[in-house]
């Protein structure tokens, strides 16, 4: 995921801003981390460079 994506993504639950917490970067791309809503506190994982913005009840937590 490119960090510039933060300018357009928002929480799918309440449309508030997301805060980025990076665990791993590679060549300027975010490989893993977490996006957390600044209002409701819901967290969305970033895995293999892909943010999972599905609502919590629709995620496959394998």
């Amino acid at each position: 995921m490119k960090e510039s994506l933060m300018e357009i993504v928002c929480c799918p639950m309440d449309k508030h801003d997301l805060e980025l917490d990076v665990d791993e970067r590679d060549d300027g791309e975010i490989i893993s981390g977490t996006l957390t809503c600044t209002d409701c506190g819901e967290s969305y994982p970033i895995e293999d460079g892909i943010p999972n913005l599905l609502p919590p009840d629709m995620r496959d937590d394998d």
Side-chain angles (χ1 to χ4, degrees):
M1 173 183 134
K2 294 194 181 296
E3 195 159 351
S4 60
L5 188 61
M6 292 300 297
E7 297 173 15
I8 59 171
V9 296
C10 64
C11 178
M13 302 295 286
D14 59 20
K15 308 301 183 225
H16 283 88
D17 289 337
L18 295 170
E19 185 175 283
L20 175 63
D21 180 28
V22 178
D23 293 332
E24 181 184 351
R25 285 183 196 264
D26 184 27
D27 243 358
E29 298 255 344
I30 299 161
I31 304 300
S32 66
T34 306
L35 296 168
T36 305
C37 179
T38 58
D39 189 62
C40 72
E42 187 61 53
S43 293
Y44 302 93
I46 303 169
E47 298 172 343
D48 299 321
I50 302 169
N52 183 346
L53 295 175
L54 286 173
D57 60 338
M58 296 182 73
R59 285 187 220 150
D60 183 14
D61 291 331
D62 287 344

